[in-house]
Amino acid sequence: MRVQYKEKKTDISLRFGIVKINLSGKKKKKTKKKSNAEKKEKKSENKTIDKENDIGGFQKFLALLQAFYDTSVSIRKTIEVEKLEIDALYGNADAAFTGMAVGFAYAEIYKLIGFLATIFTVRQPAVTIKPVFGEESVFECEADGIIKTKAAHIISTAIKFYFNYKKAIK
């Protein structure tokens, strides 16, 4: 997995064996606005849904969280973050602010890594944030990592998640 933020563009590339997927922060295409008649028609269709079989969005969200929690117990320590590298450049015209911001960023990144280590096995990460003093505002960030797990763990976790979600909805 590789995440890169540079010049207000985000590029993400994922690699699974020989399969490589590239995602980039492209602008979304504008969609055609619906007319008022189409909006009213869609609202009337939504109202005709059987109220007894439909649970609210908030209840679905709670069911999803419950399923994630129940499933997370089975996936803990089966995923290994073998490599985690984060490289960043940060600069501002004010050197004092730049120094404080870099220190704050280090603290927050290591808090996040500590949290991830409670869920997954995380090998020694490499975090580098280079301050750039005396220039205009500069921010570049690049993250690179390798996440390992076995296919059997993914399949069994997906099945457990499905059954936990169905149980939580009922």
Side-chain angles (χ1 to χ4, degrees), residues 95-160:
F97 181 77
T98 299
M100 290 189 309
V102 168
F104 179 74
Y106 267 115
E108 295 306 311
I109 287 173
Y110 277 105
K111 281 183 193 177
L112 178 64
I113 291 170
F115 174 72
L116 289 176
T118 63
I119 300 171
F120 311 118
T121 303
V122 179
R123 300 287 175 225
Q124 185 65 36
V127 178
T128 306
I129 303 173
K130 297 176 185 171
V132 180
F133 298 107
E135 293 185 14
E136 292 185 20
S137 295
V138 176
F139 177 71
E140 294 179 15
C141 185
E142 186 176 322
D144 193 18
I146 298 174
I147 300 171
K148 285 189 173 182
T149 189
K150 296 180 181 174
H153 292 290
I154 294 171
I155 293 169
S156 66
T157 302
I159 292 169
K160 287 178 186 177

Side-chain angles (χ1 to χ4, degrees), residues 55-57 59-68 70-71 158-170:
I55 62 174
Q59 290 174 335
K60 284 184 181 180
F61 178 71
L62 289 178
L64 185 66
L65 285 180
Q66 183 65 39
F68 273 129
D70 293 342
T71 308
I159 292 169
K160 287 178 186 177
F161 175 75
Y162 175 75
F163 287 119
N164 287 335
Y165 182 67
K166 288 296 182 183
K167 183 175 73 174
I169 286 179
K170 291 182 181 182

Side-chain angles (χ1 to χ4, degrees), residues 26-90:
K26 296 179 181 176
K27 293 183 179 178
K28 295 180 181 179
K29 294 181 182 177
K30 293 184 180 179
T31 57
K32 184 179 167 183
K33 291 186 177 182
K34 295 182 180 180
S35 67
N36 287 336
E38 290 175 352
K39 288 179 185 177
K40 288 179 183 178
E41 188 176 309
K42 187 169 183 171
K43 283 182 182 179
S44 65
E45 287 176 8
N46 289 341
K47 289 180 182 178
T48 60
I49 295 174
D50 185 12
K51 296 288 183 182
E52 295 174 5
N53 294 332
D54 185 38
I55 62 174
F58 185 69
Q59 290 174 335
K60 284 184 181 180
F61 178 71
L62 289 178
L64 185 66
L65 285 180
Q66 183 65 39
F68 273 129
Y69 177 76
D70 293 342
T71 308
S72 70
V73 174
S74 67
I75 200 167
R76 286 177 189 245
K77 303 300 178 186
T78 61
I79 294 178
E80 180 179 341
V81 181
E82 188 174 284
K83 175 182 150 187
L84 179 62
E85 294 178 355
I86 300 172
D87 295 319
L89 286 174
Y90 178 76

